[in-house]
Amino acid sequence: KELQTLSTNSQTVTSVAFSPDYKLLASSGTYDNNITIWDVSTWTEAKSLSGHSKNVNSIAFSPDGKLLASGSTDNDIKLWDPSSGKEIRTLRGHAYMVYEIDFSPDGKLIASGSGDNTARIWNVETGKEIKRLAGHTWNVNSVEFSHDGQFVGSGSADGTTKLWDVSTGKEIWSVKGHSRGTKSVAFTQNSTILATASPFDHNILFLDTKTGEEKRILAGHGRDINVMTFSPDGSYLYVVNSGDGTISVIETSGNTV
């Protein structure tokens, strides 16, 4: 059942994120370059965050809900105080647009993927880049920290999925699993499986994080996959399909897939 429709000045909604306590919903989009924070109890606009000069592509709340991060076509990552709406700092270094960002489980780090073919890891407190994850040959469309915080998974338009060691910044393995670009990556709750998806071959792959071995494939999904995420207990995989505007719910076998 649809509870509410929220309207903004954006032509296209690019990203949404709930705060950890589910009291706030943040949304970003094209056209006005702003981020809107909504009060979930009333479904009214609580804050409008202005500062990016181009489209905001990705937003994420920190695990404690005290920060909101945004990645933009202007190449920057910004950190905001969602309670006041004030900008805290800007993380600069990417040479091209930022496609996706993600906080580490302890909230101390941010991972970002960019059109400059790199993923990067940033220190939240200082705003400094601490690791540059170089190896992809095309846009890095998706990044995600594993739930134990040890790894970052990255998916690229070059069709590869890579696993990186957070502490060293070194590549652990690389898999050319899709015939064309990898659009989304997602870890199971126990961090033993990394799922990858492509909007071009319509396949979802489940890779063993220890070896990169393909454990399972959902072939011929039939829709253009935009983004996906596992439920907290790993029992379901939620897949947003950009081609027809639907959300698919796929039952998995818990954290083992």
Side-chain angles (χ1 to χ4, degrees):
K1 181 182 178 181
E2 181 179 309
L3 295 177
Q4 192 74 31
T5 299
L6 306 177
S7 298
T8 70
N9 292 327
S10 298
Q11 292 176 327
T12 302
V13 176
T14 56
S15 185
V16 294
F18 275 103
S19 60
D21 60 8
Y22 297 103
K23 293 181 179 180
L24 300 175
L25 174 66
S27 66
S28 64
T30 61
Y31 181 68
D32 63 2
N33 309 329
N34 292 341
I35 301 160
T36 304
I37 297 180
W38 307 87
D39 184 330
V40 173
S41 65
T42 60
W43 295 116
T44 56
E45 181 178 319
K47 296 284 186 302
S48 180
L49 313 183
S50 178
H52 283 292
S53 60
K54 294 183 180 179
N55 299 347
V56 178
N57 300 318
S58 179
I59 52 177
F61 278 96
S62 60
D64 62 7
K66 293 181 179 180
L67 294 174
L68 180 72
S70 57
S72 170
T73 302
D74 64 14
N75 307 351
D76 291 344
I77 300 163
K78 289 184 181 292
L79 295 176
W80 311 82
D81 180 342
S83 61
S84 68
K86 292 183 178 179
E87 180 183 325
I88 297 172
R89 65 180 58 91
T90 298
L91 286 55
R92 288 195 171 99
H94 278 297
Y96 201 64
M97 68 177 66
V98 178
Y99 285 109
E100 189 167 43
I101 54 173
D102 188 40
F103 276 96
S104 61
D106 62 8
K108 295 180 179 180
L109 304 174
I110 287 176
S112 59
S114 168
D116 64 11
N117 306 345
T118 69
R120 306 190 188 198
I121 299 176
W122 310 79
N123 182 296
V124 170
E125 185 175 355
T126 65
K128 301 296 184 182
E129 176 189 322
I130 58 173
K131 294 288 186 302
R132 186 172 302 190
L133 313 181
H136 286 294
T137 59
W138 209 353
N139 303 341
V140 179
N141 296 322
S142 182
V143 290
E144 183 168 298
F145 278 97
S146 59
H147 294 281
D148 59 13
Q150 296 183 41
F151 309 114
V152 166
S154 61
S156 169
D158 64 16
T160 64
T161 301
K162 294 181 183 290
L163 189 74
W164 309 85
D165 185 310
V166 170
S167 62
T168 65
K170 292 184 177 180
E171 180 184 309
I172 299 172
W173 50 252
S174 179
V175 173
K176 176 77 172 179
H178 297 288
S179 57
R180 292 177 65 185
T182 303
K183 179 64 173 176
S184 183
V185 297
F187 283 96
T188 52
Q189 191 66 30
N190 65 359
S191 304
T192 60
I193 296 292
L194 178 63
T196 78
S198 170
F200 302 106
D201 61 17
H202 300 167
N203 293 339
I204 300 173
L205 308 180
F206 299 90
L207 307 175
D208 188 315
T209 54
K210 289 184 178 180
T211 63
E213 176 189 358
E214 183 183 303
K215 305 295 288 185
R216 185 181 174 190
I217 180 171
L218 296 178
H221 182 65
R223 297 179 176 92
D224 294 340
I225 301 166
N226 189 47
V227 66
M228 61 183 179
T229 186
F230 281 96
S231 61
D233 64 0
S235 297
Y236 299 98
L237 180 65
Y238 301 103
V239 181
V240 178
N241 309 297
S242 60
D244 60 7
T246 63
I247 299 175
S248 300
V249 180
I250 300 170
E251 187 172 8
T252 62
S253 302
N255 285 309
T256 59
V257 180

